[in-house]
Amino acid sequence: MVQSQSTGDVMKRAFLAAWPHTVPIFAGFWFLGAAYGVYMNALGFSFLYPTLMALIIFGGSLEFVAAAMLLSPFAPVQALIMAFIIQSRHLFYGIAMLDRFKGMGLKKPYLIFGMCDETFSINYTADIPDGVDRGWFYFLVTLLNQFYWVSGAMIGGLAGSLLAFDTSGIEFVMTAMFVVILMEQWKKERTHVTGWIGFAISLVCLYIFGSDSFVVPTIIGILAALTVLRRPIERRLDRGEDSVPREERGK
Amino acid sequence: MTFTEEVITIAMCVIGTMATRFLPFLIFREKTPTPIFVQYLGRALPLAIFAMLVVYSLKGVNPLTGTHGIPELIGVVVTIALHLWRGSMLISIAGGTVIYMALLRLVF
């Protein structure tokens, strides 16, 4: 036996370890990606839009919002702030993966670029078997998930123009998606006061500023409210937890 | 929007996204602990932002005119009910959307 494995063997082994983790993502991404493609098509965009946006933005919820922004008056600063805030949870994925991505070499930029929610949760939690290259495992999980999402969006964009029935109302898929994401997050949290703050400030700003320009004031308002109410909110976030977070805070 | 404006808007989305993904690796090169306030925002912000996104996705609904937002309300209730019942993202999203599309055609 030759001691050093060829890159092909290493990749094959990593692929066999990685792809089973991505099967549930495949189902979800094809469904949601295709719905996104059909939605973009219904809004009047060629299939190239959902395909390219899926490829270069690669963040599902923002892509739906981006479609809505493309149909609203041009507001690049709002688009940038909104993108940053919607995606801000990725900051914490990056912090969690700082050490694990060390020494990943050329793969590292792509691992960071492609770290969507689903890819992060697999790479963060998966027990990678001994003998499987960690770098290639991370890389293939990232690549497979992105492939599912982009191909789903492209298929939806193409199929949208072929569908014989009227697709009006498909835009509700974005609302349903955000309702479900909110419910999932709601379940995880000890306190829901932050959710109510989000609702209240959004609705007030929507009323005052109108649907085309309420986002930036809402984000500023939410950040201000969370800053002012930090103590009571933190107390609620910690309620029932053991003393670990409190000790950390003391550092 | 002109094509150039579309390209800029999409580019802003890419830049905003990539900033959130790359910044931690650019800022925290060494083992610096994450600032406490950033940790706090990490816990407190998501729920507020997802609530904002639900409102954003319904921003075009006017309760005073047209269908008064009734199909949207029913669609949201169905989505929530399906999600409480089955807990499957796919079923909840598909079910809520299909009901909404059916309501637009059959009732409103």
Side-chain angles (χ1 to χ4, degrees):
Chain A
M1 285 291 280
V2 190
Q3 267 199 322
S4 65
Q5 295 174 308
S6 72
T7 315
D9 282 343
V10 173
M11 277 181 68
K12 196 176 146 194
R13 209 179 275 216
F15 182 83
L16 291 176
W19 84 266
H21 289 278
T22 68
V23 171
I25 311 299
F26 171 67
F29 272 19
W30 258 36
F31 167 74
L32 212 55
Y36 172 63
V38 173
Y39 166 67
M40 286 293 283
N41 184 274
L43 297 180
F45 293 102
S46 127
F47 79 97
L48 288 172
Y49 279 80
T51 310
L52 287 176
M53 286 161 71
L55 187 69
I56 63 176
I57 301 177
F58 192 41
S61 42
L62 177 63
E63 284 166 41
F64 278 94
V65 172
M69 291 195 295
L70 288 177
L71 297 174
S72 307
F74 183 53
V77 176
Q78 172 182 307
L80 181 65
I81 295 175
M82 185 117 175
F84 188 83
I85 293 290
I86 292 178
Q87 306 285 46
S88 60
R89 63 190 186 283
H90 292 99
L91 289 166
F92 303 96
Y93 302 165
I95 291 170
M97 296 304 269
L98 275 176
D99 286 335
R100 300 193 197 196
F101 283 177
K102 271 186 186 145
M104 289 294 154
L106 289 174
K107 295 189 201 77
K108 191 169 170 178
Y110 179 67
L111 293 179
I112 299 171
F113 166 83
M115 194 161 48
C116 63
D117 305 85
E118 291 77 5
T119 297
F120 166 73
S121 58
I122 293 176
N123 281 343
Y124 186 71
T125 54
D127 285 320
I128 303 171
D130 291 335
V132 170
D133 183 82
R134 237 164 23 95
W136 281 110
F137 181 94
Y138 291 156
F139 183 83
L140 289 167
V141 166
T142 311
L143 189 68
L144 283 169
N145 283 348
Q146 187 170 22
F147 172 72
Y148 304 150
W149 179 249
V150 175
S151 56
M154 185 165 81
I155 291 167
L158 286 169
S161 51
L162 302 174
L163 291 178
F165 65 91
D166 156 32
T167 50
S168 65
I170 187 77
E171 69 277 4
F172 193 78
V173 75
M174 173 159 82
T175 305
M177 180 184 71
F178 284 134
V179 167
V180 169
I181 293 177
L182 178 70
M183 287 177 75
E184 288 294 316
Q185 191 71 28
W186 200 272
K187 262 194 307 198
K188 282 189 221 155
E189 306 267 351
R190 279 194 174 72
T191 174
H192 300 133
V193 66
T194 47
W196 295 118
I197 289 174
F199 272 127
I201 294 178
S202 308
L203 290 171
V204 169
C205 289
L206 179 61
Y207 181 73
I208 298 175
F209 297 97
S211 60
D212 284 330
S213 47
F214 80 106
V215 171
V216 174
T218 301
I219 290 169
I220 294 171
I222 288 173
L223 287 173
L226 293 183
T227 306
V228 172
L229 298 172
R230 181 172 166 192
R231 277 184 190 285
I233 290 173
E234 264 186 338
R235 217 178 303 129
R236 284 157 196 261
L237 284 169
D238 289 344
R239 198 194 299 153
E241 271 180 330
D242 53 33
S243 56
V244 176
R246 217 150 289 152
E247 277 170 22
E248 273 180 2
R249 217 184 307 144
K251 273 181 195 166
Chain B
M1 246 190 225
T2 65
F3 181 69
T4 313
E5 289 173 342
E6 286 181 354
V7 171
I8 294 172
T9 302
I10 295 172
M12 289 298 154
C13 291
V14 174
I15 294 169
T17 302
M18 291 312 147
T20 65
R21 291 191 185 154
F22 280 90
L23 270 180
F25 293 89
L26 300 175
I27 297 172
F28 303 109
R29 284 191 174 276
E30 285 138 69
K31 277 202 164 180
T32 37
T34 316
I36 305 286
F37 188 66
V38 175
Q39 286 184 23
Y40 162 68
L41 282 185
R43 298 164 71 204
L45 199 54
L47 201 61
I49 293 301
F50 290 130
M52 178 190 88
L53 288 175
V54 170
V55 175
Y56 180 84
S57 75
L58 292 168
K59 68 180 170 132
V61 175
N62 189 335
L64 303 178
T65 57
T67 56
H68 305 284
I70 297 167
E72 285 79 9
L73 183 67
I74 297 174
V76 168
V77 169
V78 168
T79 307
I80 293 173
L82 281 172
H83 204 64
L84 290 174
W85 180 39
R86 302 297 300 270
S88 151
M89 248 182 129
L90 253 61
I91 293 174
S92 317
I93 296 174
T97 307
V98 166
I99 293 289
Y100 177 77
M101 291 173 77
L103 284 173
L104 288 192
R105 285 164 181 73
L106 304 174
V107 187
F108 294 95

